[in-house]
Amino acid sequence: MPLDHSTLVTLGSTLPPSLQVFTQLEQRMHDPFVDVSELVSVIRTDPSLVFKLLRLANSVMFGQRAPCDSLDEAVTRVGIREIQRLVGLASSHQSYQQDLPAYGLTAKQVWDNALTTAVAAEVLTRAVGRRSDAGYAAGLMRNLGRVILEKLRAGSLYPGEAAVPDVAVWERATYGLSSAEAGADLLAHWRLSAELVGMIRFHADPFAMPEPSADAVLLNLAGHIATRLGSGLPGEAGYWTVTASKLATAGLEEVQLAEAEAETRQRLTQVRSAFASLRDAA
């Protein structure tokens, strides 16, 4: 069953409300005149998200001595940029709560891949002295297209990378487009930045972009790190080959890539611990 635009939008509306909060924050954070109170008001539209944010803000990720008891206090202590990051973590985690039988993936595999890719993208971005919230967000949301395609229940199952090494080939044969294209189209409909949409659409092959960006290549290299750390997904191994062209475009040395992998591993321990405490409170 080919995925047309109206079906894509309909299926997108079934995703968790917290994801809509995240996309609204992404839109507003690019406005230099936006008021923090407006951003807080957006977050408050989802009470369950506020609860998760407070739990995360009080977790080992920030080492607060005294707990934050309100969203306003959390924003004051950790800052609105950090709150936006936590909203991304919480909303993407909620979006990946169902197994994807068509892909032979568990919810844990999908979430762990998104989390590891996002953290790696953030670490790599900082290593080259760039600030790109889009890379982190793209890492978290890169698997949304799979969630959408799964909802179509086409009846076909991905046969595995031994039979089809590139999962996008199977996706296009089954659904008429790849999961990256489906995710990018949905985010474009939600009016996220062209930069973020482009990174999602071309993250498997950033040099297929009309104008390849360093951020898109950094996201691709984050996929390499995710695979190295045991969080890769079937049918994608060929996407993440490290080349001299990728390193040059990203502004990275090989030693920096290795250092980023080690730092990503360390940071993931903190984030996973925070989510473990979140589950314990549920």
Side-chain angles (χ1 to χ4, degrees):
M1 176 182 176
L3 181 61
D4 57 37
H5 182 73
S6 61
T7 303
L8 174 71
V9 172
T10 299
L11 293 175
S13 68
T14 67
L15 294 171
S18 58
L19 189 60
Q20 293 282 358
V21 172
F22 182 49
T23 57
Q24 289 180 48
L25 286 181
E26 281 289 311
Q27 294 168 2
R28 287 168 169 77
M29 291 293 281
H30 292 284
D31 181 356
F33 303 106
V34 70
D35 190 272
V36 171
S37 61
E38 179 185 347
L39 300 176
V40 171
S41 295
V42 171
I43 298 171
R44 282 203 177 103
T45 61
D46 188 340
S48 66
L49 178 60
V50 173
F51 170 78
K52 291 183 176 68
L53 286 179
L54 291 177
R55 291 290 304 182
L56 290 172
N58 289 324
S59 71
V60 294
M61 285 193 291
F62 296 102
Q64 301 285 354
R65 293 185 178 180
C68 301
D69 295 322
S70 70
L71 182 58
D72 289 318
E73 185 179 1
V75 170
T76 299
R77 288 196 190 183
V78 306
I80 192 62
R81 288 272 177 195
E82 208 52 64
I83 289 295
Q84 178 198 22
R85 177 171 169 268
L86 293 181
V87 170
L89 282 172
S91 61
S92 57
H93 181 255
Q94 191 174 355
S95 300
Y96 303 133
Q97 288 300 298
Q98 302 296 320
D99 294 342
L100 304 183
Y103 289 89
L105 296 173
T106 65
K108 182 181 183 302
Q109 286 176 291
V110 179
W111 157 244
D112 199 54
N113 173 265
L115 174 64
T116 307
T117 304
V119 172
E122 187 176 44
V123 171
L124 287 169
T125 299
R126 188 169 62 251
V128 296
R130 299 174 66 87
R131 178 180 179 180
S132 175
D133 298 330
Y136 177 76
L140 289 176
M141 293 190 285
R142 83 172 202 92
N143 289 320
L144 282 183
R146 294 177 191 261
V147 177
I148 294 295
L149 295 183
E150 179 74 41
K151 290 176 182 291
L152 287 174
R153 303 192 184 283
S156 175
L157 301 178
Y158 175 54
E161 56 190 357
V164 183
D166 185 343
V167 67
V169 172
W170 169 79
E171 289 171 336
R172 292 192 178 101
T174 304
Y175 302 104
L177 77 175
S178 70
S179 58
E181 291 162 343
D185 288 347
L186 180 62
L187 296 178
H189 175 76
W190 286 347
R191 299 183 179 179
L192 268 70
S193 70
E195 175 192 19
L196 192 152
V197 170
M199 290 168 68
I200 293 287
R201 189 180 302 277
F202 296 105
H203 71 276
D205 183 9
F207 292 108
M209 298 179 73
E211 295 182 13
S213 69
D215 291 325
V217 175
L218 287 166
L219 181 61
N220 180 274
L221 293 172
H224 162 77
I225 289 178
T227 300
R228 290 265 304 169
L229 294 180
S231 297
L233 297 179
E236 294 189 339
Y239 301 163
W240 318 128
T241 303
V242 177
T243 66
S245 296
K246 288 181 182 179
L247 293 173
T249 303
L252 274 174
E253 301 288 342
E254 284 193 43
V255 64
Q256 290 177 293
L257 187 62
E259 291 169 350
E261 180 181 326
E263 184 178 347
T264 298
R265 186 191 301 273
Q266 182 180 14
R267 291 202 57 197
L268 281 170
T269 300
Q270 289 184 313
V271 178
R272 286 168 177 155
S273 176
F275 273 91
S277 66
L278 190 63
R279 288 195 302 271
D280 293 341

